[in-house]
Amino acid sequence: MTNSTLRRGLAVIALVATVGFTFSTHTEEGCHGFVPENTMYIPVGLYATGGITQDEFMMVMDRIEKIYKPEVEAAGDKLKINRLWTDGTVNASAQRQGNTRVLNMYGGLARHKTIGVEGMALVACHEMGHHNAGAPKINSWYGGAWASNEGASDYFASLKCLRLFFAEDDNAAIVAGMTIDPVAKAGCETQYSNLQDQLICQRITEAGQQVANLFMDLSKDKVAPKFDTPDKTVVRRTDDSHPKTQCRLDTYFQGALCPVAISERLSDTDYKQGSCYSPRETVGTRPLCWFFPGNN
């Protein structure tokens, strides 16, 4: 082997090593946003009514960080919540940068007329769910699967995250000022004997209704989703993308009705762990309009 050939070989090895290093530290994009891509943009000060204030927006993010930062750090990762209040984008997203779990939370969504504190908390919980919701996962184009899919993230939001979020509040006083859907209210009261659990369940259904109204506005759906008209679609393969509006509302409702303890962690490989599943439970399971147990 000549010296020039050796030098060329070493250069190729060095290039491959550099590309390999760059590849391994590339920002991992695993989600397409809380809602599908849209052109709606709500700058600060556009609407006088509707949405939440900047203080409420920051409160939601601070509380999510307080709840999940210790858990994330215990796993050897970091949690970063980008509080993008002045950005009018009507969406939210999650990504992973090395060992940092990132949430991108936009003020435009917070200012949408359908969103209250409950809805904003659900959005943040959904994005946290892409990191923490377990199976089923979205396989990335380069292998590996860090992100839980859209349905799993919705289920996590109402099954685990919102229960922790609302636990700090005077839920009796808050729910007293709301008009809870009677079907949702009856479901919560039937499923739980403890008053606090009933009230948290009802606030979760209110959160689900708020974001379902957001989905309707963005998609221009003509049929309003309801708690007593579940999506009867049965998929033959788990759908990783955004379910339809009714299906997403069903997911929030079923997560709220699942009595499995918050402390029971979800698994990256076994969808049954930490959740409700058929045939063990008949209520609180992942809806079949997006979830197919046979391929998980």
Side-chain angles (χ1 to χ4, degrees), residues 77-274:
D77 286 347
K78 299 176 182 178
L79 177 61
K80 180 181 181 182
I81 303 178
N82 292 320
R83 297 160 168 83
L84 306 171
W85 172 254
T86 59
D87 191 318
T89 300
V90 181
N91 219 326
S93 64
Q95 63 189 120
R96 188 174 179 91
Q97 298 174 324
N99 70 335
T100 301
R101 306 182 194 186
V102 182
L103 309 186
N104 298 306
M105 308 302 299
Y106 297 97
L109 189 149
R111 288 186 286 277
H112 192 275
K113 61 185 178 181
T114 66
I115 296 299
V117 168
E118 287 77 19
M120 193 71 240
L122 188 155
V123 175
C125 282
H126 170 98
E127 298 309 330
M128 195 70 226
H130 280 300
H131 297 287
N132 285 34
K137 297 274 191 172
I138 304 170
N139 284 314
S140 61
W141 62 271
Y142 50 85
W146 70 266
S148 299
N149 74 9
E150 299 298 337
S153 300
D154 279 341
Y155 189 63
F156 167 86
S158 58
L159 175 70
K160 304 293 185 183
C161 182
L162 284 176
R163 295 183 190 190
L164 290 169
F165 188 96
F166 293 147
E168 300 185 24
D169 296 328
D170 183 350
N171 291 295
I174 294 170
V175 170
M178 294 176 169
T179 302
I180 302 296
D181 181 275
V183 174
K185 185 173 186 289
C188 292
E189 291 177 347
T190 298
Q191 189 71 350
Y192 298 105
S193 58
N194 178 274
L195 178 59
Q196 180 71 351
D197 291 336
Q198 293 176 4
L199 293 169
I200 288 177
C201 177
Q202 289 175 42
R203 281 192 76 190
I204 293 172
T205 66
E206 170 62 21
Q209 186 67 71
Q210 289 178 17
V211 298
N213 292 340
L214 168 69
F215 303 151
M216 275 199 70
D217 188 49
L218 291 174
S219 65
K220 305 306 178 186
D221 287 344
K222 298 186 183 301
V223 179
K226 299 178 180 179
F227 289 100
D228 60 349
T229 60
D231 189 329
K232 297 186 182 301
T233 302
V234 177
V235 297
R236 296 303 178 188
R237 183 178 181 84
T238 294
D239 184 0
D240 289 335
S241 61
H242 297 100
K244 292 181 180 180
T245 299
Q246 180 65 59
C247 186
R248 295 189 80 171
L249 182 64
D250 297 344
T251 303
Y252 302 134
F253 193 25
Q254 293 307 306
L257 295 177
C258 176
V260 171
I262 300 172
S263 58
E264 292 189 30
R265 297 285 184 88
L266 295 163
S267 165
D268 286 342
T269 56
D270 180 4
Y271 76 87
K272 295 179 180 180
Q273 183 175 314

